[in-house]
Amino acid sequence: MSERLNVGEICTREVAIAFRDTDLVAAARLMREAHVGALVVVDEMPGKRMVAGLLTDRDIVTAVIAPGLDPRTLNVEDVMTEPVLTMDEDESLIDLLRMMRDKGVRRVPVLGAQRELVGLVTLDDALEILAEELDLLVGAIGSEARRERLRRPAV
């Protein structure tokens, strides 16, 4: 990792995807099989996948289950969130955290130079990186105390 972390460095590159016409039950099964809470909905273009929307487990619960709709009659496109907030892979971790806070999102598709899907970054990914950085700070504090004890032993 570089000194200035960017979204491309911390995102998951293997993304669970669905298409607009994927039936909703199949999408839910895909989430279960992949152990994920969201699918990035994509449109296929020659050689790349373009982000069309995002389908979360919460979307299914609030838009389909809670109002009593039959999920067997719906496709991903009927329930997905669009437009989706995205970030370029070279944007900073700080920019990501600000956007997540300001917009109230926990999952953000990451785009490459041609606006194609290259990954997905989640709040969990960001927390893992921040935990590592906090661990480095704690280590620095402990190191300073050890150095102090060696330089100036107790009397």
Side-chain angles (χ1 to χ4, degrees), residues 97-135:
L97 295 173
R98 279 191 189 113
M99 185 178 81
M100 286 179 151
R101 179 196 62 205
D102 294 347
K103 303 297 182 181
V105 297
R106 299 182 332 165
R107 300 170 179 99
V108 179
V110 179
L111 306 180
Q114 297 175 342
R115 311 299 297 157
E116 78 282 9
L117 176 67
V118 298
L120 181 70
V121 66
T122 67
L123 184 58
D124 290 353
D125 297 327
L127 286 171
E128 188 175 322
I129 295 299
L130 293 172
E132 287 177 24
E133 295 205 357
L134 286 172
D135 189 50

Side-chain angles (χ1 to χ4, degrees), residues 4 8 10-11 15 17 20 28 53 58 64 80 89 91 94 96 106 109 118-119 124 146-147 155:
R4 180 186 174 268
I10 66 170
C11 73
V15 181
I17 64 162
R20 293 173 188 264
R58 183 181 175 109
V64 179
M80 71 182 190
E89 62 184 330
E91 291 188 76
I94 294 298
L96 170 72
R106 299 182 332 165
V118 298
D124 290 353
R146 283 189 299 279
R147 234 183 20 257
V155 186

Side-chain angles (χ1 to χ4, degrees), residues 5 10 16 20 23 25-26 34 37 39 52 54 57 62 64 70 72 79-80 89 92 112-113 122 126 129 139 145:
L5 289 174
I10 66 170
R20 293 173 188 264
D23 74 79
V25 174
L39 301 173
L54 191 67
D57 47 7
T62 60
V64 179
D70 184 355
R72 295 170 298 185
V79 182
M80 71 182 190
E89 62 184 330
S92 74
T122 67
I129 295 299

Side-chain angles (χ1 to χ4, degrees), residues 44-50 114 116-117:
E44 289 281 357
M45 302 292 274
K48 55 189 161 203
R49 292 179 167 158
M50 308 304 284
Q114 297 175 342
E116 78 282 9
L117 176 67

